[in-house]
Amino acid sequence: MTSELLVADIGGTNVRFAIASINDENDISLNNINMCPTENWLYLEDAVNDYLSHVGKRPARASIAFAGPVNSDLVTMTNGTWEFKQSELASYLNMEEVKVMNDYCAHACSMPLLKGDQLVQIGGGEVAENGNMVVLGPGTGVGVGALVSVGDKWKAVASEGGHVGFSASGDLEKEINRIIADEYHRVSIEEMVSGRGISNIYYALGIINGTHNLRLHPAEINKMASDDNDPDSVQAIKIFSGMLGSFASDMAGTFNATGGVYLAGGVLPKLKDFFLDSNFREKFEENEKLPFVKDIETHLIMEEYPALFGAAAYYSGMFL
């Protein structure tokens, strides 16, 4: 028997919807996938209702991944304006049940499902059977989620780890941090390892190298690196990649992620060629306080909609 539910991945920049079909073996397929800018709507309920009107069906259940803490009835977007009360959603959407989870809880729930060309391994390492896993995602902000092994099931753990403090490694990173710190009360990982992080790094390099760079959109920086081999653009992406490697190492240690570290988010697939040729893995392995991370596999997620798969999987019997 196959059941259907609405799944959604609500981010600060884009919203993604699909109708998920799940059979008795917990095989998941996504249909009617749609992605639109979040700013098209003032409220989550309006975005959902517009999508369901478009597809012409309204499942009885929904699983919604949301870019913000889901610790209370009132849920607020970290890098956006949307907010809602979980207790009111089912009524507003005319559904029997609506589950809401942090978006990187949903990413975490997708990890046991991903395989083959949905992943690209970066460097060496190996996966410990039933080992904890962590997923990181540079995008509008930085998402962090984990799966903790509990017997024969998994427990998804939400995290706002993207807001921990940034720790510079090496003289150049320290100089970049000094420049960015002049504009922030506290420099978090998100100011360096995200879309705007690339812009911040590029801007700081303009001061350091005397090229006086503006804060360009990361897509423009990537284009200049790819098309023109612009030195500051190429260097900004490489520095960003190394910073991500250090942060990924810290999170691997935090969650004892012997089952692997997975990289998601909207930024990395666009930078794939530069990223895979970067010093990410070298920086991941350099922490002398965490020598065991050298044995952990790291993967770039190439699946376009991992959070939608994870939101659907949350209804399966795999998770506590």
Side-chain angles (χ1 to χ4, degrees):
M1 182 178 178
T2 300
S3 60
E4 287 190 335
L5 67 151
L6 168 72
V7 290
D9 175 19
I10 311 297
T13 302
N14 293 303
V15 297
R16 298 167 181 85
F17 294 113
I19 303 297
S21 297
I22 308 176
N23 64 21
D24 292 338
E25 287 74 41
N26 287 324
D27 295 323
I28 297 168
S29 61
L30 301 178
N31 306 292
N32 302 109
I33 297 172
N34 184 266
M35 181 175 75
C36 290
T38 308
E39 65 182 15
N40 284 5
W41 298 274
L42 292 176
Y43 304 103
L44 168 65
E45 302 95 302
D46 293 338
V48 172
N49 285 320
D50 281 356
Y51 169 75
L52 293 177
S53 295
H54 175 72
V55 299
K57 59 174 66 178
R58 186 173 294 269
R61 301 178 299 166
S63 183
I64 295 176
F66 193 78
V70 185
N71 300 326
S72 62
D73 189 34
L74 180 65
V75 178
T76 302
M77 184 176 285
T78 300
N79 289 298
T81 60
W82 287 13
E83 66 177 32
F84 58 88
K85 290 185 176 181
Q86 296 187 66
S87 59
E88 298 175 346
L89 268 185
S91 175
Y92 284 155
L93 300 178
N94 193 26
M95 291 182 174
E96 295 175 7
E97 182 181 35
V98 177
K99 291 184 178 181
V100 181
M101 72 190 81
N102 173 266
D103 58 337
Y104 270 79
C105 259
H107 276 82
C109 289
S110 77
M111 288 189 287
L113 308 176
L114 301 177
K115 53 192 174 183
D117 60 6
Q118 292 174 303
L119 299 169
V120 174
Q121 185 171 347
I122 305 168
E126 59 186 10
V127 170
E129 186 176 358
N130 297 323
N132 298 342
M133 295 181 272
V134 66
V135 58
L136 314 174
T140 306
V142 182
V144 180
L147 276 188
V148 177
S149 177
V150 184
D152 61 351
K153 294 184 182 295
W154 297 100
K155 173 65 177 178
V157 179
S159 169
E160 290 298 316
H163 300 292
V164 302
F166 170 70
S167 178
S169 171
D171 291 342
L172 182 55
E173 287 190 12
K174 290 176 182 177
E175 183 66 9
I176 292 170
N177 182 63
R178 184 192 63 77
I179 293 168
I180 300 304
D182 286 342
E183 302 182 16
Y184 293 92
H185 174 68
R186 174 180 180 273
V187 179
S188 72
I189 281 291
E190 202 164 78
E191 311 309 336
M192 297 292 192
V193 185
S194 66
R196 71 173 176 272
I198 296 174
S199 299
N200 283 338
I201 294 167
Y202 177 77
Y203 167 77
L205 287 175
I207 295 174
I208 295 168
N209 297 335
T211 46
H212 309 292
N213 299 328
L214 298 175
R215 268 196 175 85
L216 299 180
H217 191 279
E220 294 180 75
I221 297 170
N222 184 38
K223 186 175 189 301
M224 290 193 303
S226 301
D227 295 351
D228 306 325
N229 200 31
D230 174 66
D232 283 358
S233 300
V234 173
Q235 189 178 18
I237 294 171
K238 288 183 177 179
I239 292 169
F240 158 85
S241 300
M243 289 176 174
L244 177 59
S246 297
F247 177 55
S249 180
D250 289 344
M251 291 297 100
T254 299
F255 289 101
N256 191 30
T258 58
V261 173
Y262 296 80
L263 304 172
V267 170
L268 295 180
K270 299 180 179 70
L271 308 177
K272 180 184 174 184
D273 292 340
F274 285 107
F275 180 70
L276 294 178
D277 192 40
S278 75
N279 65 341
F280 166 84
R281 183 71 195 193
E282 177 185 339
K283 298 288 282 186
F284 180 81
E285 295 183 0
E286 79 172 6
N287 190 338
E288 295 178 357
K289 300 290 186 181
L290 298 172
F292 76 94
V293 302
K294 295 180 180 180
D295 297 325
I296 294 175
E297 282 190 6
T298 51
H299 295 270
L300 176 61
I301 296 175
M302 298 308 299
E303 166 56 49
E304 191 172 0
Y305 304 106
L308 294 181
F309 278 100
Y314 196 63
Y315 267 98
S316 73
M318 298 172 61
F319 304 97
L320 294 175

